[in-house]
DNA sequence: ACTGGCTGTTACATTTCGTTATATTTCAGA
DNA sequence: TCTGAAATATAACGAAATGTAACAGCCAGT
């Protein structure tokens, strides 16, 4: 069982969070728990998960409101976990956009089965939320991820290969932050690998004015790389 | 509420069929009922619905077997309606591919809410059969699946073959999402095949302005292909 | 049988990308 | 400051992935 999908559990009762996490992790999922809506919101924006399991009775915000927000962005799956077994509540939650509504107390194994079912359905559905479609502007360059096209300040165009694209996107998503080689590689390829250096060299050759003295992407000796400029995204 | 989607209800108890049908029809769905698995199978092959609601206790065949068959061609949604409230049954049904499992007795209004929720998810999903009838607009092109006709921005027309059609439709149904060769192939043909590349080449020749430098369909090396544009569907 | 269109296969050209080898840079310690 | 080991840069190479023209089989309609 090598799912590896990210699931967020949002419930103010720590017991529930723990129980759900343990069960899901046994089936190969990566789980993070949150006990307040605010924390969850922030995390969802930063690293959107494949699925959110939400308790309606949160201390700091209306659970329904959170559900609605999530469902409007249409890509992340939403399961409601509630102590209230009333039909109007269920109907409201589901019509608001939730994909399932489970009443407490529930059987952990059934929850897992429903999670599996939903993720299976989500898999071949909707645009991939990870694919960035806005254009990035940085250091008198413009990069359009839709077409993998880079436009320099003086109008020259060049195309990035898909591996170069992934690397550049990771940097653009975390400007002015040191990223280790592992972080830049993601889940691909083995532990000892110098290929990242070569990739970086190829990216630099396309984005730097003088690739021998890189300004935009600096090397942090012994640690990783950093994108030194600000980035603004235009739709 | 003008859904107009086709739903099949398969249950040997006529009362249940009638109740479910009435309720769903009030919400604008087209419903057909079947009291035996054989009838349903035939109808599903002839006119595949958007969703099947299946009672497990059918007189002439094992309900689970029917569920499994349906789910294998995973374009049609499957809801199980069962009198058995046991966790193993639920888990089995859901793992087999069902999208929901509802225990009798149930509240009709909740059933409708769950149907709405599921169909919403299914809407932009699934390797469609040939059933798409709306016209797709993307990248100053218009494609009419009914006639397999492509119209370019400057008025030129061309026709796609049916294999090209399937490929293009799969891409249009999942814009901005990387699709693997397997996903694009669907259930057809053998494991290692280069035919998809050739098909893609032929599609590109028709939709791209400069097929040597494709803009609309990009290749993701080692992974698959991606449609880079937005798509809007007009009836 | 003949024809024309569709489709998969094959063969070869091209691109991508990781590996290797070598040059260069960094930095701790003398 | 100097020195050497470790880290990084990148050119060059080759294996694998992809693009596509050309060919061959199949099928429906004549």
């Amino acid at each position: 069982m090598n799912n590896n999908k990210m699931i967020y559990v949002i419930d103010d009762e720590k017991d529930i969070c723990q129980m759900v996490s343990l069960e899901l992790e046994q089936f190969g999922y990566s789980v993070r728990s949150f006990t307040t809506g605010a924390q969850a919101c922030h995390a969802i924006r930063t690293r959107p998960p494949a699925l959110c399991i939400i308790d309606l009775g949160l201390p700091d915000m209306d659970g329904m409101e959170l559900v609605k927000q999530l469902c409007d962005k249409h890509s992340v799956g939403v399961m409601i976990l509630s102590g209230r077994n009333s039909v109007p509540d269920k109907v409201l939650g589901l019509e608001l956009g939730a994909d399932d509504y489970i009443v407490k107390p529930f059987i952990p194994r059934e929850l897992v089965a429903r999670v599996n079912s939903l993720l299976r359905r989500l898999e071949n559905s909707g645009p991939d939320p990870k694919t960035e479609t806005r254009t990035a502007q940085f250091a008198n360059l413009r990069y359009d991820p839709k077409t993998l096209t880079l436009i320099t300040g003086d109008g020259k165009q060049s195309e990035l290969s898909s591996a170069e694209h992934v690397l550049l996107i990771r940097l653009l998503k975390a400007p002015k932050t040191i990223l280790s080689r592992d972080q830049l590689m993601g889940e691909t390829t083995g532990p000892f690998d110098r290929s990242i250096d070569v990739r970086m060299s190829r990216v630099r050759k396309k984005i730097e004015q003088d690739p021998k003295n890189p300004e935009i992407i600096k090397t942090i000796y012994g640690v990783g790389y950093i994108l030194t400029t600000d980035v603004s995204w235009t739709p």
Side-chain angles (χ1 to χ4, degrees), chain A:
Chain A
M1 192 85 62
N2 51 349
N3 292 310
N4 194 27
K5 298 224 178 86
M6 181 63 83
I7 299 179
Y8 288 176
V9 182
I10 307 157
D11 196 317
D12 60 324
E13 298 172 70
K14 284 221 174 64
D15 296 352
I16 302 272
C17 283
Q18 199 176 351
M19 180 174 72
V20 174
S21 296
L22 274 173
E23 190 76 14
L24 287 172
E25 277 162 0
Q26 283 189 343
F27 284 81
Y29 293 106
S30 307
V31 186
R32 288 181 62 186
S33 304
F34 304 88
T35 49
T36 71
Q39 285 170 26
C41 276
H42 178 260
I44 288 163
R45 260 192 297 277
T46 316
R47 286 180 63 93
L51 171 64
C52 286
I53 302 176
I54 303 177
D55 177 48
L56 284 188
L58 294 174
D60 62 331
M61 66 189 296
D62 180 21
M64 282 291 184
E65 188 51 40
L66 180 54
V67 169
K68 192 165 178 313
Q69 278 179 37
L70 280 176
C71 297
D72 284 347
K73 337 198 302 182
H74 200 95
S75 44
V76 46
V78 176
M79 264 190 188
I80 291 176
L81 202 57
S82 167
R84 308 187 55 182
N85 193 5
S86 85
V87 173
D89 273 341
K90 288 186 182 181
V91 171
L92 177 60
L94 291 167
E95 297 294 359
L96 231 47
D99 297 293
D100 209 337
Y101 189 110
I102 299 175
V103 176
K104 298 188 212 177
F106 58 93
I107 315 282
R109 187 64 185 82
E110 180 183 341
L111 181 104
V112 172
R114 285 184 177 274
V115 166
N116 287 335
S117 172
L118 175 54
L119 286 178
R120 189 191 323 122
R121 198 45 93 179
L122 281 169
E123 202 160 66
N124 13 357
S125 148
D128 186 343
K130 287 190 293 298
T131 54
E132 178 61 65
T133 59
R134 296 167 299 168
T135 296
Q137 293 181 267
F138 61 107
N140 95 334
L141 290 170
R142 298 205 304 136
Y143 179 63
D144 178 359
K146 292 195 299 299
T147 56
L148 314 193
T149 303
L150 190 77
I151 304 174
T152 66
D154 47 352
K156 294 197 177 65
Q157 285 198 12
S158 60
E159 286 222 340
L160 269 61
S161 76
S162 56
E164 290 158 6
H165 163 84
V166 171
L167 196 52
L168 181 56
I169 283 289
R170 294 231 161 102
L171 286 163
L172 291 173
K173 289 281 185 167
K176 298 183 173 177
T177 307
I178 298 175
L179 294 173
S180 70
R181 287 178 164 66
D182 283 345
Q183 288 176 296
L184 288 168
M185 289 287 273
E187 300 81 17
T188 56
T189 49
F192 343 105
D193 231 36
R194 306 286 317 289
S195 71
I196 196 91
D197 302 44
V198 181
R199 294 222 282 247
M200 190 61 76
S201 169
R202 296 206 250 249
V203 170
R204 275 173 171 160
K205 205 180 291 183
K206 291 184 180 174
I207 72 169
E208 296 280 355
Q209 290 217 300
D210 174 13
K212 294 279 178 186
N213 293 61
E215 291 294 323
I216 302 174
I217 300 174
K218 293 270 189 189
T219 303
I220 310 296
Y221 186 93
V223 187
Y225 298 91
I226 183 172
L227 182 85
T228 60
T229 70
D230 278 310
V231 180
S232 72
W233 300 89
T234 60

